[in-house]
Amino acid sequence: MEYWKDETEPITAFLKLFEEAKKDEELSSGLKKVNQLIWFDYTEDGPNCSFHIDCRGGKIESGAGKPSETPDLIMSLSADDAHRSWSNKLNPVMAITRRKIRVKGSATGLLKLAPKLKKVATIYEGVLRDLGWQDKILK
Amino acid sequence: MHGNTGTIIGVDLSEGRVDKINPPEEWYLCYVGGSGLAAKYFWERGDLEADPLSPEAMLLFMNGPFAGLKLSGASRSSVGGRSPLTGHWGDSSCGGYFAPELRYAGYDGIVITGRADKPSLILIEDERASIEDASDFWGLGIGETNRGLKERYGKNHRTLVIGPAGENLVKYAAILNEGHHAFGRAGFGAVMGSKNLKGIVVRATRKEMAIAHPERFAELRGDLNLRIKDALASSVMRENGTAANLEGGAFSGDVPIRNFTSNFWEEMGEALAGSTLTEKYLTRRWQCAYCTVRCKRVVEVPDGPFAIPEGPGPEYETIVSFGAMIGSMDLAAACKAGRLCNDFGMDTISAGGTIAWAMEAFERGDLTPENTGGVELRWGDMATVVEIVLPAIALRKGKLGELLSEGSIASARRIGKGSLAYTCHSKGLEAPMHDPRGGGHGLALTYAMSPRGACHVADPMLFIEMGACYYPEIGLEYELEPKTDENKPESAVISIALGAIENSACFCQFADREVTIPDWVELFNTVAGYGWDADEMMRTGRRIFHLKRLINYRFGLTAEDDDLTPRMLEPARDGEPEGIEINFSGMKAKFYELMGMDPEKGIALPETLQQHGMTGESSRVW
């Protein structure tokens, strides 16, 4: 991995990102509209390198690892590309076309959130600062 | 022959003659089919001096070699000829059910000249083709005509029909298949109207076609159908139609707002999105023949001022043309306007673009109530659009109808006052609903270079800049940033050649995203037996592009016409692309250089034509 020293680092950062994103009214409302159980699968970088968010039924819950229930959507990619993606440095359409991101399930809901990636990136930068990982911020 | 049948129906409506024509086989190999073969036929046998609405004008419907294959995306065909809207070469593509039926009946196309002495239709039933009286259908809308034809001939007969707009020679009149699928662009509905031709009806008994290597094709077909069906883009469009990503486009600045005066309108994205259409008005999903993408919509608006019964629903271009482009985010109104255009038989892009120009002109005071017969045209006033403007255009009713039925460019020329500067087109064809300032600067280049005028489906540049496709086998591996000119001419030369192939093979641009270059070559070789490699296929694509440019040169177009309007090239005023300049002249010069074209004449140099086996064509212009 280019940006992470081990598989726990990205999951720490991404879970904190979602905790912060929940506090933003626009993103929170957008996530609730997705109404899916999503597994972000980075296990190509380690068996424990994944997390999930559950935005079904008007709630937003997140946790490390694969969800216990069958996910509605699985996004599989590397932890480095996930870092680029949350930093808004990875064109998601291009990444899917070039198989850097593999999608299983309906991505319609998530597609509606794609325009919000710029805002997510701003929050993510704050998360990295809070974690003392300024060196990981992509310019 | 394989794929293609080698036989075209020739119809002279003045003489009442129907002939079977076998064009030279070489034409198929060099120009494939669809708009490429139509252009070759027109170049060799058309009357290039003829007014597009005169009896002498040639109207060409042409299949590609894949029509009739049970393959997603392959059931399209092309219409071509001299466009009454632009005055030069035009072509338009349509999905649906006509192309396979024509192929099964044994034909690659229909070439029509002359003018019938009364409203007529062409009836093709297997090997029999005849001209029939259609007087009782004249004046009817497309829906009623389609139903009437099926009652008369049978529900499985496939139809191509014009509506009142075509009969009244509206310059952007469309031709519809089964009342749902449109040859929308460039006004060929008016050409049919000028020939007193209300429709074409076709029926084939046997659903068979000859394939060069059936076993190899069967394997490829199974693989492609599965990949196309399972592709993310397909599943997204199946769920929410071609407007599935309208919200993304609204944020990136790709969606034109109020006649290209703005690139950002946040609330509009969700209001007009495909998902909103699904939630509010979708009753069924629909598809072209054999297609698993199923991007077509069937909708009903149950109540309110824009209520419509269940029927054909709008796709992306229609939603934006009758939404953001004219300052409305009323999705029900867009559904209603689209339905009206379907029934009148009008291109929604040119209709929306023309109305958007008129609204801006009225708001600025360049267009006055005296010009419009007292009708006020205000941004977003969809009641006026639906109740007054669209019927007036289709029926050429009153001053407003007479003016706007000629399209935005002719209307602007007529009223003057500098209003040409805020038309949005290239070569006289109103721009589609993708603003190159936000959608991608390469799109500005390919809009301008497209032989028929501003067009987002002449080639896959829109998808290439979006990141939705790349072709390493032919050197297209760039990771493009849409809002710059970097590597855009280099990408465009590949894109336009591939686009010419797509439109000559008559393959859908949505299904096509899963088709790789090796797949393309294998398709041509297993179906039509062309024996191509990728280089020869791309050389053929460039040849088709060059031929259409030569036709336009004969119509008087030069490099000066490869342009966009000041409105489309001014830096965006807001949104993501705000303030960014498009390096249009730089991209254009590089494109000509890479393509081996003359930068003043706008056509291929003699040595370029020679490299593409076009010495005969060269001698007619150099």
Side-chain angles (χ1 to χ4, degrees), chain A residues 41-61:
Chain A
D41 165 23
Y42 315 128
T43 52
E44 66 185 77
D45 288 318
N48 299 313
C49 197
S50 77
F51 76 103
H52 62 272
I53 59 165
D54 188 352
C55 3
R56 296 172 299 179
K59 63 177 188 293
I60 305 173
E61 292 172 358

Side-chain angles (χ1 to χ4, degrees), chain B residues 290-331:
Chain B
Y290 310 121
C291 189
T292 57
V293 178
R294 306 195 79 207
C295 67
K296 300 278 179 177
R297 310 285 93 179
V298 178
V299 301
E300 178 188 10
V301 179
D303 45 38
F306 303 111
I308 46 171
E310 185 182 48
E315 46 71 65
Y316 170 85
E317 294 291 326
T318 301
I319 289 173
V320 179
S321 295
F322 291 114
M325 182 69 169
I326 54 179
S328 167
M329 51 179 188
D330 189 329
L331 190 54

